[in-house]
Every structure is written in C-alpha cells, then in structure tokens.
C-alpha cells in the first residue's frame, strides 16, 4: 500500500496508508486527517480539497488541468504553482511516499 | 463501531438513518467535543456511503464500493461513533425527556436525544408493469449494481423522468453508445428543482448529443414478454417505445412515517426550523427527510435533496443537540455531472423575479435575482463563475442586474464591483 504524508493546517503531520485506486482526498477524509473538507466527495465540484504537492512529487502527480485548473483559480486559499485538488490525485504504487500540504482555508 | 447485532441499550444521542446526514450529525457532535454515547442505526448493509456517484462514476465503472464509503471503520472507532448496519428502527416512543426506539430484531435502545436522518426513497412509477424485470429505480448501492449490470449488454434504454438522476444516467449511457429515450411528463426537464433557463439549455444539449427527449409525455404502462422482462413502454397517446432497460427517476419520497407515528409534525418531510429542530424538544431531523423554511419565500417550506443540505443541516442540528449556539448556515449548492456537462448550482433560485443569461460556446451561467439582489446561479462548465457566486452569496455581495449580461467582464469582476 502506498503511503501519503499529509501536513495539516493545524501543524500536525499524518502518515497514512492509501489503497491503490483511492484518491488522496478520500484517504484523508476516511481517516479523519484534519484540514480537508471535500464536500462534494470527489466530484470535482467544490474545490474544498486543495493541497500543495511537495516539490519532489510534482512531476509524478502532474499539474492541474482543465476544470481542476479553473476551480483552483477560485479556491479559498490562493493557488500556487503546485496546487492540486486532492480528489483528482489517484493513488498508485509509484506515488508511495507522496507528500502533500493541505491548504489552510478550504 | 459495531456490525449488525447488539447496540448499546442506552445511548445519549440516537441517530436513525446512517446516510450522509446521520453520519454528519455524529461527526459534528464529536467536533463539538460532545462526550456522551452516539449511536447511528441504518437499515442498509453498508457503512455510510455517498450516493452521488451511483448515477455517475460508480455506474460507469470508474469507482467501486470502497470509493463510496464516507469514513473508515478506524475513524468511527476513534471517534467512538457506534454504527449499526442492517438494522431498522421500527418504532419510536417519546417520553417527557428522551424515549425508546424499537429495532426490527425486537431489541430496544433508550435515548436522551434523537435525530431523524431517515432520508428519502425512490418513488415508484404508479403504472402496471412497474415491477417487471429490467425496470429499476436508483437510490442504493444495490440498485446501482443491478443497473450497472443491466446496462452492459443493452441497446435501448428508456429513462422515465427528466430529473437529475435520470439525466445523469441518460447522458452516461448515450456516451457509451446506447439508444436513449427520456420521457418527461411535464413541459420541461428538471421542472421540480430548476428554473426554465437551465431546463431549456440542457434540453438542447442532450438532444444534440442524440438523446430522444419527449416532454409532456406520460407513461401509462410498462409492457413485458412471457418471461416478465420489460420490452416496451406504453405512452398516454397509445404509442409504444421499445426498451431493454427502463430506469425510473421520478423523484424521491422523504421517509417520514416513523417520525409521523412518533407524533412529529410532518408535511412532505418532517417539519423543522432553520437549525433542524422538530415540533418536539430534544428531537431534530436532518437531510432528505426534513422540510425546512424556504429561504426566499416567507411562509413556504421545502425539502432539499443534496449533499450540501445534509451536511449543513446536520452541522446545525448537532449544535442544537448539544445546546451550543448555532453558526450561520453556509450557501446552499448542488452539482450534477451529465456526460460533458458539469452543472453547478449556487444558492436557491426558486422565488426569483428576474434572471440574466450569460452564454459562451459550451458554457452557460444564469444569474437569478429577487428584488434586484442576486440569490442564485446555475452554471454549466464554468467552475470559476460558480465559485465566485457561491462566495459572493456567502458574503452578501450582489451584482447590478442591469450590467450582469456584459460579457466583457467576468462574473467575478462584476461581483467585486470592478466593472
Ligand atoms: C443516484 C443519486 C445521485 C445523487 N447525486 C447527487 C449529486 O450529484 N449532488 C448532490 O448534492 N446530491 C446528490 N444526491 C442526493 C444526495 O445523495 C442526498 O441528498 C443525500 O444522500 C441525503 O442524505 P440523507 O442522509 O439525508 O439520506 P440517505 O442518504 O437516504 O440516508 C438515509 C438512510 O437512512 C436509512 N433509513 C431510513 N429509515 C430507517 C429506519 N427506520 N431505520 C434505520 N435506517 C433507516 C435509509 O435506508 C438510508 O440508508 C443524489 C442521490 C442519489 C440517489
Ligand atoms: S472533493 Fe470536491 S473538488 Fe475535490
């Protein structure tokens, strides 16, 4: 199982195991990692699952495109270059060790 | 957490119904540092799950059951939320304070406070043949699994009802190459939940994608063969349409019977105030089963079937149950994915007295006004407009209706008064 390291806005760090095929958002929500809201449950409709991908992982995850890119323009926390909506990050074995910082406002 | 079987015989808060709203009350109670026992009882054989993907990603095979689950067992354990699966509450007796619930295995649970989160059920089509093989409604994981299997080798799908669920299934099926007919009894799509501009736009787009949409068309019978398999749909004018699978999406009925028998005031749903309080002290109702005051039309009430509503109501109701002052409610919103159409709705348009349409190629934004104030927006394929309106509604900002159709300014710019 690939692991994900989440840095939450409250300063805590959470290392969690993810199921291959689950999104990073889903993994965080199911286990109660603080900071992600994800009101739409992954439908790419709410922009409340905003994370910053750690620099060393951005090549593996890729950057936001299309609707995700547009949604990030109006996310509560101003977007950065490595902003992603975590419901769009589907976990694979290759992403084992993925490090994400959760945006402070969702 | 606990599997089907014994619940605590005494709990502080009993929540009937383990859907989005029921679980929402439980988690919000813990967020409020409520230290008492919390028990959630649900009659489905699953831990609480999301319904929206059932007519979208799950149906298309892009998501599985694991993706649907709302919270992991470890989360429920950690938050000391007892969830009983596959158990039905058959009656509730309210005392002066608290009461007793009886379950379908004849056990009882005593409670101090009670939350109804019983949701809604799919309305059946009240015509002969509605129980033929190949005829489905779509509400639960079980329904969705059956529909998913049935659609694999199907050529002709007839959807009865032009609501959100019907249109989502129709659009996804059409994209997969099925011959799809949508039969809607009223003069427009989504008539119960949307204003005409969105209905008309979706009608055009779905027709252009090759879906045969027939408005003002009532079904009088579903016709089957000797094996009891549906073969045709018969219309009020006598015409028949061949069908291998029929999906019935004619609305949902709030599950109010239990609350009604317990003595709560009920209309279409269980009558609640802004914060989910029912007619009886210490009892709240949340989600699809609750009927709340209309935000734009004083004196009227409405039920809202959306994830956002379930979450907002459960948040407020948990405050009521713990006696904490309720926060301000967030902006109502909704989404629907229909093939390449991403629909997002901010606010509640019902009650509007004017609207402005902004359309650009494959994008649409309709802004709704009441007394010159922005109250809602229907948005297709334009997440920026949706998020801008949603935020503005939360902050009480509006747009000058006179300038709202000026496409040289974005909605966001208009809302910021930069135009
Ligand atoms: C196919 C589909 C697609 C949808 N798509 C969207 C969408 O895109 N966006 C959106 O915002 N909303 C969507 N919705 C609506 C959204 O899913 C609902 O508004 C939400 O699930 C309501 O949650 P709830 O907890 O109030 O009710 P429910 O999810 O219905 O949960 C209530 C639960 O209580 C159980 N129950 C009832 N009576 C008893 C009893 N006596 N004892 C024990 N258990 C009981 C029921 O079986 C059910 O499991 C969709 C709904 C469906 C069905
Ligand atoms: S969970 Fe809603 S956009 Fe990611």
């Amino acid at each position: 199982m690939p692991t994900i390291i989440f840095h939450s806005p409250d300063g805590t760090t959470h290392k969690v195991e993810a199921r291959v095929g689950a999104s990073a958002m889903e993994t965080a929500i199911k286990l109660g990692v603080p900071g992600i809201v994800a009101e739409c449950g992954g439908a790419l409709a709410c922009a409340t699952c905003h994370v910053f991908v750690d620099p060393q992982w951005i090549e593996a995850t890729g950057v936001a495109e299309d609707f995700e890119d547009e949604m990030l323009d109006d996310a509560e926390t101003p977007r950065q270059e490595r902003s992603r909506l975590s419901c769009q990050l589907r976990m694979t074995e290759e992403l084992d060790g993925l490090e994400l910082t959760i945006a402070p406002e969702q | 957490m606990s599997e089907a079987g014994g619940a605590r015989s005494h709990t502080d808060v009993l929540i009937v119904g383990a859907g989005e709203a029921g679980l929402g009350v439980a988690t919000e109670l813990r967020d409020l540092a409520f230290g008492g026992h919390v028990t959630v009882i649900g009659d489905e054989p699953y831990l609480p799950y999301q319904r929206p993907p059932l007519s979208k990603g799950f149906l298309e095979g892009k998501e599985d059951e694991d993706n649907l689950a709302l919270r992991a067992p470890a989360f429920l354990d950690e938050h000391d939320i007892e969830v009983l699966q596959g158990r039905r509450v058959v009656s509730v007796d309210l005392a002066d304070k608290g009461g007793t619930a009886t379950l379908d295995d004849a056990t009882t649970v005593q409670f101090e406070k009670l939350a109804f989160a019983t949701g809604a059920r799919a309305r059946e089509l009240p015509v002969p043949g509605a129980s033929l093989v190949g005829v489905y409604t779509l509400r639960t994981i079980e329904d969705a699994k059956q529909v998913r299997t049935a659609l694999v080798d199907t050529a002709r799908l007839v959807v009865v009802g032009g609501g959100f669920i019907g249109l989502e299934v129709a659009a996804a099926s059409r994209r997969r190459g099925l011959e799809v007919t949508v039969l809607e009894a009223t003069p427009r799509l989504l008539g119960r939940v949307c204003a005409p501009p969105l209905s008309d736009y979706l009608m055009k787009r779905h027709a252009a994608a090759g879906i045969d949409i027939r408005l003002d068309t009532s079904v009088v019978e579903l016709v089957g063969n000797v094996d009891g398999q549906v073969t045709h749909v018969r219309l009020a004018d006598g015409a028949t349409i061949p069908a291998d699978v029929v999906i019935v999406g004619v609305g949902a009925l709030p599950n109010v019977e239990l609350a009604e028998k317990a003595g709560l005031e009920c209309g279409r749903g269980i009558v609640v105030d802004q914060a989910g309080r029912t007619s009886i002290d210490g009892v709240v109702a949340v989600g699809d089963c609750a009927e709340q005051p209309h935000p734009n039309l004083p004196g009227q009430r409405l039920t809202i079937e959306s994830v956002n509503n379930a979450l907002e109501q459960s948040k407020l109701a948990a405050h009521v149950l713990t006696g904490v002052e309720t926060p301000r409610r967030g902006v109502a919103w909704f989404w629907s994915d229909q093939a390449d159409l991403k629909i997002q709705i901010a606010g509640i348009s019902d009650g509007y007295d004017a609207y402005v349409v902004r359309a650009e190629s494959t994008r649409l934004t309709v802004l709704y006004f009441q007394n010159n104030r922005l109250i809602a927006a229907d948005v297709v394929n334009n997440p920026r407009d949706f998020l801008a309106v949603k935020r503005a509604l939360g902050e009480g900002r509006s747009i000058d209706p006179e300038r709202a159709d000026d496409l040289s300014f974005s909605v966001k710019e208009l809302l910021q008064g930069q135009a």
Side-chain angles (χ1 to χ4, degrees), chain A residues 25 38 40-42 44-47 49 87:
Chain A
M25 172 285 288
C40 77
L44 191 51
C46 70
C49 61
C87 65

Side-chain angles (χ1 to χ4, degrees), chain A residues 19 21-23 26 29-32 39-47 67 70-71 73-76 90, chain B residues 50 62-64 66-67 69-72 75 307-308 311 333 335 342 344 363 381 383-384 386-387 391 412:
Chain A
R19 194 173 61 95
S23 71
E26 194 187 320
I29 286 287
K30 281 185 182 159
L31 296 170
E39 197 173 348
C40 77
L44 191 51
C46 70
F67 281 137
E70 293 189 23
M71 303 260 293
D73 283 345
D74 281 279
E76 280 296 319
R90 283 267 184 154
Chain B
Q50 311 181 38
K62 292 182 201 155
E63 285 169 72
D64 60 23
D66 273 320
N67 293 119
L70 283 166
R71 300 285 193 176
F75 174 95
V307 169
N308 163 266
L311 294 176
W333 76 279
W335 80 92
K342 174 167 276 304
Q344 291 166 297
R363 298 175 186 254
N381 293 349
R384 284 195 191 99
F386 164 74
L387 288 171
R391 177 167 311 147
K412 189 177 179 179

Side-chain angles (χ1 to χ4, degrees), chain B residues 402-413:
Chain B
E402 298 290 323
R403 316 186 58 180
D405 65 350
D406 186 347
L407 292 179
S408 56
F409 294 100
S410 71
V411 165
K412 189 177 179 179
E413 286 165 341

